[in-house]
């Protein structure tokens, strides 16, 4: 079984709809991240969480919110989706015992299309 | 603050030829540097990382990278390309002495390998 899973893997939605992307991990890591990938722009950080009580905004948090329901679960929400949020979204985790190396482990991604 | 520049958004090589993917970084503190690979329709996978030990770092699948502080570079190389190396490659940086900082990614380089 994969260590970091994301659901759904693909989603098509309409402008104005609320949508939630979910991430679960079995690695036992405290740190979790949400990125979006756009062609030619690489990965950009949306939000990150160092533990259940700690949530931090990343580079491009506007239009997004997150919830850390448990150590293993980190959800990303788009309250009112817009077309320029069409992208590939990745969840990642890292090991706090080796925090200074920041090696991150990625899920398979969710491809979101907003019409 | 840290940043990464990947020179060349697309690199094409023939099978058996040398692979060279360029990455330059900017960091006001000693950096940790990473190369990730993304195969089609998959998440990111760690290739190798530099964490202030040996300046020549060997990774998976025959790749290696050399940290050159004087040139602020961390170029990725492989002596002989295989068809299976075709993928997108991302260079990333984090701050070595700042626990909890997230990775900053470059925009990526797509490697094509022809027979």
């Amino acid at each position: 079984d994969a260590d970091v899973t994301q659901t759904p893997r693909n989603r098509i939605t309409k402008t104005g709809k609320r949508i939630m992307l979910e991430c679960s991990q079995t690695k036992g890591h405290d740190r979790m991240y949400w990125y979006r990938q756009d062609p030619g722009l690489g990965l950009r950080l949306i939000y990150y969480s160092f533990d259940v009580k700690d949530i931090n905004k990343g580079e491009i948090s506007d239009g997004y919110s997150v919830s850390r329901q448990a150590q293993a679960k980190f959800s990303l929400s788009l309250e009112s989706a817009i077309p320029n949020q069409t992208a590939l979204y990745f969840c990642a985790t890292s090991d706090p015992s080796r925090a200074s190396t920041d090696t991150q482990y990625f899920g398979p991604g969710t491809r979101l299309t907003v019409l | 603050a840290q940043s990464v520049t990947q020179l060349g958004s697309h690199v094409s090589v023939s099978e058996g030829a040398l692979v060279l993917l360029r990455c330059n970084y900017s960091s006001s503190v000693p950096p940790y540097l990473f190369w990730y690979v993304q195969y089609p329709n998959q998440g990111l996978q760690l290739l190798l990382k530099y964490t202030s030990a040996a300046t020549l770092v060997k990774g998976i699948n025959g790749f290696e990278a050399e940290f050159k502080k004087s040139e602020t570079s961390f170029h990725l190389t492989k002596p002989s390309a295989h068809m299976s190396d075709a993928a997108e490659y991302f260079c990333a940086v984090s701050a070595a002495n700042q626990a909890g900082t997230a990775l900053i990614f470059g925009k990526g380089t797509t490697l094509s390998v022809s027979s």
Side-chain angles (χ1 to χ4, degrees):
Chain A
D1 288 341
D3 294 321
V4 183
T5 57
Q6 294 182 232
T7 55
R9 293 294 312 279
N10 289 282
R11 180 70 181 267
I12 299 173
T13 191
K14 295 182 178 179
T15 298
K17 294 292 187 181
R18 183 180 187 275
I19 185 168
M20 178 182 287
L21 309 183
E22 299 186 343
C23 176
S24 294
Q25 53 113 347
T26 58
K27 298 184 77 67
H29 291 173
D30 280 339
R31 300 180 178 209
M32 298 187 73
Y33 310 80
W34 275 105
Y35 294 90
R36 67 176 277 176
Q37 183 182 17
D38 298 278
L41 296 181
L43 278 77
R44 293 179 291 167
L45 182 65
I46 306 172
Y47 271 95
Y48 59 105
S49 169
F50 290 158
D51 62 40
V52 175
K53 297 180 180 179
D54 181 84
I55 302 289
N56 304 279
K57 291 182 177 180
E59 179 187 359
I60 53 165
S61 60
D62 287 349
Y64 301 94
S65 62
V66 291
S67 173
R68 186 77 184 269
Q69 300 95 324
Q71 185 204 41
K73 297 184 181 296
F74 192 36
S75 300
L76 176 72
S77 293
L78 288 67
E79 296 302 325
S80 180
I82 57 176
N84 76 0
Q85 292 177 313
T86 294
L88 186 55
Y89 290 84
F90 285 105
C91 175
T93 73
S94 65
D95 182 355
S97 67
R98 300 181 180 181
S100 61
T101 70
D102 275 339
T103 299
Q104 295 187 13
Y105 300 87
F106 285 80
T110 294
R111 186 168 297 281
L112 177 65
T113 303
V114 183
L115 302 177
Chain B
Q2 290 80 40
S3 67
V4 167
T5 301
Q6 291 185 239
L7 303 176
S9 59
H10 199 133
V11 171
S12 297
V13 300
S14 299
E15 195 172 19
L18 171 71
V19 175
L20 172 60
L21 304 183
R22 300 178 187 271
C23 173
N24 287 92
Y25 70 91
S26 174
S27 179
S28 56
V29 298
Y32 286 158
L33 292 158
F34 305 79
W35 276 100
Y36 281 84
V37 60
Q38 183 182 26
Y39 298 105
N41 300 313
Q42 295 186 27
L44 277 72
Q45 177 183 0
L46 181 68
L47 267 180
L48 51 79
K49 62 183 178 183
Y50 166 77
T51 57
S52 73
T55 57
L56 181 63
V57 181
K58 295 187 182 299
I60 62 172
N61 301 334
F63 285 93
E64 63 181 35
E66 185 172 8
F67 173 71
K68 292 187 176 181
K69 184 178 179 180
S70 62
E71 298 178 8
T72 62
S73 69
F74 190 58
H75 300 333
L76 181 70
T77 61
K78 181 174 181 177
S80 177
H82 295 165
M83 297 293 288
S84 60
D85 294 327
E88 189 161 19
Y89 292 79
F90 294 94
C91 183
V93 64
S94 68
N97 65 353
Q98 297 178 9
T101 56
L103 290 175
I104 305 298
F105 284 86
K107 294 183 178 181
T109 298
T110 299
L111 175 66
S112 299
V113 182
S114 58
S115 57

